[in-house]
Amino acid sequence: DAKTTQPPSMDCAEGRAANLPCNHSTISGNEYVYWYRQIHSQGPQYIIHGLKNNETNEMASLIITEDRKSSTLILPHATLRDTAVYYCIVRVGRSGGSNYKLTFGKGTLLTVNP
Amino acid sequence: GAGVSQSPSNKVTEKGKDVELRCDPISGHTALYWYRQSLGQGLEFLIYFQGNSAPDKSGLPSDRFSAERTGESVSTLTIQRTQQEDSAVYLCASSLQVSSTDTQYFGPGTRLTVL
């Protein structure tokens, strides 16, 4: 799986949009961009994923650049409960082999401030 | 709907004792995974079950670790003769494995402390 680069930490004011960047310049054509987050002392929580097109769900939006070398996770109205470590990973789709083994990098610690 | 559940949420044991951790996957999910996360560390893959296929045990750190799964339901991870280095959060995840992307959903984890 391609490696990703994320800033170690970010701050965001409550109620504002949080924009978390991720660089994945070596991404392959069959690799998806996934975002998870981990709130302190909890299990990782799936947020969203995409291949080429921008995606939106009830939690967040994912903006992927046209060349797919970077992406941004957007939390439109951050709350204090969104304080967590956010992980961006890229992985191939389910095509056999051992690509099911998830690995997280260090992620971005997002702190939402009142 | 219900997510992945794990029990117990916390387990404190003495060195040398055996422990059993339980995972209930999301109903209908055919794939089940065990990971562990040591303090400040990333995810470490342990084992993967998919339907009736032979499990991928390649991540188990020693023969003291074993896991079972009954059909497509509950799984138990057993650690025999626990050591202090086994202290970690043990995470279970499940996935549907019918789509190309196969999203894994995690449980809350079991925090194991070996004294």
Side-chain angles (χ1 to χ4, degrees):
Chain A
D1 293 340
K3 292 184 178 178
T4 63
T5 304
Q6 299 178 254
S9 64
M10 292 183 66
D11 285 286
C12 178
E14 188 178 19
R16 305 297 293 267
N19 298 284
L20 294 99
C22 180
N23 285 324
H24 32 79
S25 59
T26 60
I27 192 170
S28 300
N30 63 344
E31 287 182 313
Y32 291 76
V33 180
Y34 270 79
W35 284 83
Y36 282 82
R37 73 180 182 184
Q38 193 165 22
I39 296 169
H40 183 59
S41 297
Q42 297 185 22
Q45 179 186 22
Y46 164 77
I47 302 174
I48 198 167
H49 73 277
L51 182 62
K52 290 187 286 189
N53 299 323
N54 298 337
E55 301 288 343
T56 296
N57 63 20
E58 65 278 4
M59 288 183 69
S61 295
L62 174 61
I63 308 299
I64 302 173
T65 58
E66 193 169 342
D67 63 7
R68 302 209 322 123
K69 293 185 177 182
S70 66
S71 60
T72 301
L73 178 74
I74 301 173
L75 307 179
H77 305 286
T79 71
L80 299 179
R81 288 176 295 181
D82 291 322
T83 292
V85 178
Y86 287 76
Y87 298 100
C88 167
I89 60 175
V90 291
R91 56 190 294 255
V92 297
R94 185 176 63 84
S95 58
S98 60
N99 58 329
Y100 45 78
K101 299 178 185 177
L102 284 185
T103 55
F104 289 172
K106 296 198 180 296
T108 296
L109 173 59
L110 173 70
T111 302
V112 180
N113 300 303
Chain B
V4 177
S5 61
Q6 293 185 246
S7 61
S9 55
N10 281 284
K11 177 71 177 178
V12 180
T13 190
E14 293 178 349
K15 178 181 173 181
K17 295 285 180 69
D18 297 351
V19 296
E20 216 174 67
L21 313 180
R22 177 187 168 107
C23 172
D24 284 88
I26 294 172
S27 178
H29 279 196
T30 57
L32 187 146
Y33 317 78
W34 284 96
Y35 295 87
R36 73 177 175 181
Q37 192 173 34
S38 301
L39 187 63
Q41 301 298 311
L43 284 183
E44 178 186 1
F45 167 81
L46 297 177
I47 190 169
Y48 159 67
F49 294 93
Q50 166 53 27
N52 294 321
S53 302
D56 176 358
K57 303 180 180 180
S58 62
L60 295 179
S62 77
D63 58 8
R64 296 186 295 105
F65 288 71
S66 62
E68 300 290 333
R69 186 181 187 194
T70 307
E72 293 184 352
S73 60
V74 172
S75 175
T76 55
L77 177 69
T78 302
I79 309 173
Q80 296 178 309
R81 305 180 304 281
T82 52
Q83 303 294 313
Q84 288 183 330
E85 60 263 29
D86 300 334
S87 296
V89 176
Y90 288 81
L91 294 162
C92 176
S94 70
S95 70
L96 195 52
Q97 282 224 334
V98 294
S99 73
S100 62
T101 51
D102 186 30
T103 300
Q104 295 180 31
Y105 297 89
F106 286 83
T110 293
R111 181 175 299 276
L112 175 66
T113 304
V114 182
L115 302 175

